[in-house]
Amino acid sequence: MSAAAATLAFGLAGTSQAAAPTLREAADATGRFIGTAVNDGLLNNSTYRNIAASEFDSVTAENAMKWEAVEPQRGQYNWAGGDRLVQFAQQNDQLVYGHTLVWHSQMPQWLQNGSFSNSELRTIMTDHVTTQVGRYRGDVQRWDVVNEAFNEDGSLRQSKFYQQLGESYIADAFRAARAADPNAKLFINDYNTEVRNAKSDGLFRLVQRLKSQGVPIDGVGFQNHLIVGNVNGSAIQQNLQRFADLGLEVVITELDIRMRTPSDSSKLQQQARDYRAVADACLAVSACSGITVWGISDRDSWVPDTFPGEGDACPWDGNYQPKPAYHALLTAFTDAAGDPGGPGEDPEDPEDPGEPGTGSCTAVFTVANRWATGSVVNVTVRTTQALNGWRAEFDLPSGVTVANGWNGGFSQSGARVTVTNAAYNGTVAAGGTFSFGFQTNGGAAQDGTAVSLGGQRCAAG
Ligand code: G2I
């Protein structure tokens, strides 16, 4: 267990007076980062500053590192806002996520309206990337090198760069960034790519092409500007996983979940469940290194300006009070850290469901039905090895118990449920599957819960 996890466990095991962990402590115990977009103009508001410093261990410039802010005149750079962010991060022991180098939006006028030959435009782009990444070499750990390159149908957006340079502008931007800071991780970032659809398929194919061409890309950012009541956690998890399976890091880069305003308690509760679903999706994918929320407070969010009548999308309300969404994020991390089969796992622990990705099994843990105080779950496990009797294990959320089960023998100790084969389904051929199901009391199970087989953690199937 890491020092942070030990601290967290100690904090939780204490009396009810023990201080709750902050988001960053809870995220740290899972090995993930929790970030926020930072609005440069608000850094002199002490409430804002305190929350940004104490609750987050990663910061992204909401606007200060965009091309129009950084290079307002050709070749003349203004680093004031970016430098303030880096200094803030260093004072508070935070990561910096650089946003963004090449984007069709928020380009300076000289670039937007200028006419350049193709080769001149390519040089302008690579010079900008080289200069900005070089400026923050060692200070910025991840960069959104290319932002929002896609149309909704999965084709490449007709930005100035694409129109003049074709798809190769993307590879050139990544190469320039790698040369300027070989240690920074380089991302492509987009919105409406959270689940599998035409746009994320286009992104997936592009990333495959870039990888096959040896272009230095390390990760994919998924913005997650979402709508309350319209969040499908397992679809998000599956989509993150398919990009992770290409050997890439994945990050939730700009999470907010908006609603029609005014809010009410049922919308706020639904929003909390939606935040939790996104966090759980990331936490279920080992290559998902962190989550950044796009703003701290509802009062500072970009949403109402862009979507009139909608808002209240952030984890803190307009008075900087934490909302149910905040507590949902916190609980997602603390539950994951406390789940020995989850991201905070301890491989030395004999009770641990095992290291992920051992390759001997895959499991699909599906919540088929849920209500306030219970759920119905189906689990299917595929094994690569022939089995003569089996034992499957998984953890339920705190307070949730198995009421009754089928196609297996069930026992529960604390959160841990152990299921052994029934008389009729213990023999499974190599490559074959077995299934069981159960009903819960005391709350619902979580879709995609990790399952182990004979002590080996199964990959999500
Ligand atoms: O639109 C939401 C986000 C989508 N993904 C990329 C992000 O970079 C983008 O962030 C938003 C910022 O949150 C806004 O604050 O990007 C907007 C611009 O596309 C930002 O808004 C702009 C305002 O529209 C401008 O009027 C303002 O001058 O911020 C500018 C700088 O303060």
Side-chain angles (χ1 to χ4, degrees):
M1 188 184 267
S2 69
T7 313
L8 177 64
F10 177 76
L12 292 174
T15 66
S16 56
Q17 269 115 56
T22 60
L23 272 183
R24 67 182 286 178
E25 286 169 337
D28 188 44
T30 70
R32 322 298 172 119
F33 69 80
I34 178 75
T36 182
V38 169
N39 179 326
D40 181 53
L42 293 171
L43 275 180
N44 45 29
N45 168 330
S46 63
T47 306
Y48 182 90
R49 211 181 155 87
N50 286 341
I51 296 175
S54 61
E55 295 283 349
F56 297 96
D57 60 4
S58 176
V59 286
T60 304
E62 186 169 357
N63 290 296
M65 289 191 180
K66 292 173 179 174
W67 199 324
E68 73 173 6
V70 167
E71 195 184 358
Q73 304 300 329
R74 187 172 175 182
Q76 290 178 18
Y77 287 85
N78 178 353
W79 305 113
D83 285 1
R84 266 192 297 274
L85 184 79
V86 167
Q87 190 191 33
F88 181 80
Q90 288 172 351
Q91 283 168 356
N92 296 298
D93 192 22
Q94 292 168 315
L95 299 166
V96 180
Y97 192 108
H99 175 80
T100 177
L101 299 169
V102 181
W103 186 26
H104 69 278
S105 178
Q106 288 186 289
M107 293 203 288
Q109 289 301 317
W110 65 267
L111 175 59
Q112 180 82 52
N113 301 331
S115 61
F116 309 101
S117 73
N118 295 350
S119 71
E120 197 179 7
L121 181 65
R122 199 176 291 273
T123 304
I124 286 171
M125 181 191 76
T126 53
D127 280 355
H128 176 77
V129 171
T130 304
T131 307
Q132 188 165 354
V133 175
R135 166 83 185 186
Y136 293 116
R137 181 180 172 131
D139 293 330
V140 169
Q141 291 73 33
R142 294 176 178 81
W143 279 106
D144 283 334
V145 177
V146 173
N147 195 38
E148 301 177 1
F150 283 89
N151 295 313
E152 297 304 301
D153 68 359
S155 60
L156 282 164
R157 185 191 289 271
Q158 296 288 322
S159 69
K160 189 178 189 98
F161 303 106
Y162 182 70
Q163 279 174 347
Q164 285 194 236
L165 309 178
E167 183 176 317
S168 68
Y169 88 88
I170 296 175
D172 283 354
F174 276 89
R175 291 194 185 100
R178 177 67 96 231
D181 184 353
N183 294 321
K185 291 189 176 167
L186 307 180
F187 282 71
I188 188 165
N189 186 49
D190 219 319
Y191 63 93
N192 288 351
T193 48
E194 292 77 21
V195 300
R196 187 162 188 171
N197 56 30
K199 191 174 188 179
S200 68
D201 281 350
L203 174 62
F204 189 81
R205 289 190 298 269
L206 172 72
V207 171
Q208 281 180 314
R209 285 198 296 282
L210 294 174
K211 295 276 285 180
S212 72
Q213 293 158 10
V215 175
I217 178 168
D218 302 301
V220 178
F222 298 87
Q223 294 187 7
N224 282 268
H225 295 294
L226 303 176
I227 296 171
V228 165
N230 197 15
V231 174
N232 181 341
S234 63
I236 292 174
Q237 179 187 330
Q238 282 168 31
N239 194 50
L240 288 172
Q241 188 64 55
R242 74 170 168 145
F243 283 86
D245 289 344
L246 295 177
L248 293 162
E249 187 177 321
V250 292
V251 172
I252 309 288
T253 49
E254 304 183 14
L255 176 61
D256 52 29
I257 311 183
R258 62 186 184 267
M259 62 179 74
R260 290 217 70 83
T261 49
S263 70
D264 59 32
S265 85
S266 95
K267 291 184 203 172
L268 291 170
Q269 293 302 329
Q270 182 60 46
Q271 182 180 51
R273 286 192 288 276
D274 293 338
Y275 264 89
R276 169 88 198 222
V278 175
D280 283 345
C282 174
L283 287 162
V285 174
S286 56
C288 184
S289 56
I291 299 171
T292 292
V293 296
W294 204 245
I296 294 172
S297 141
D298 291 337
R299 101 163 48 180
D300 309 318
S301 167
W302 67 289
V303 169
D305 289 343
T306 305
F307 300 100
E310 296 179 67
D312 288 356
C314 294
W316 278 261
D317 70 15
N319 297 316
Y320 290 108
Q321 295 303 307
K323 294 161 62 179
Y326 167 84
H327 296 289
L329 274 180
L330 185 60
T331 314
F333 288 121
T334 54
D335 283 357
D339 165 12
E345 70 193 294
D346 177 5
E348 303 304 317
D349 177 357
E351 293 300 309
D352 192 278
E355 286 286 83
T358 52
S360 60
C361 52
T362 55
V364 181
F365 186 106
T366 309
V367 178
N369 194 4
R370 69 169 68 227
W371 54 97
T373 57
S375 57
V376 173
V377 177
N378 293 316
V379 179
T380 297
V381 178
R382 184 178 294 282
T383 170
T384 57
Q385 289 146 16
L387 301 175
N388 209 344
W390 48 259
R391 171 175 58 92
E393 287 172 296
F394 53 86
D395 288 350
L396 290 176
S398 162
V400 178
T401 56
V402 174
N404 58 76
W406 48 94
N407 296 342
F410 287 74
S411 65
Q412 184 167 4
S413 168
R416 176 65 49 85
V417 177
T418 302
V419 189
T420 52
N421 59 280
Y424 51 85
N425 65 359
T427 305
V428 187
T433 62
F434 64 87
S435 298
F436 56 86
F438 60 95
Q439 186 171 331
T440 63
N441 275 345
Q446 283 291 322
D447 244 338
T449 294
V451 177
S452 69
L453 176 61
Q456 297 271 299
R457 165 97 172 261
C458 300

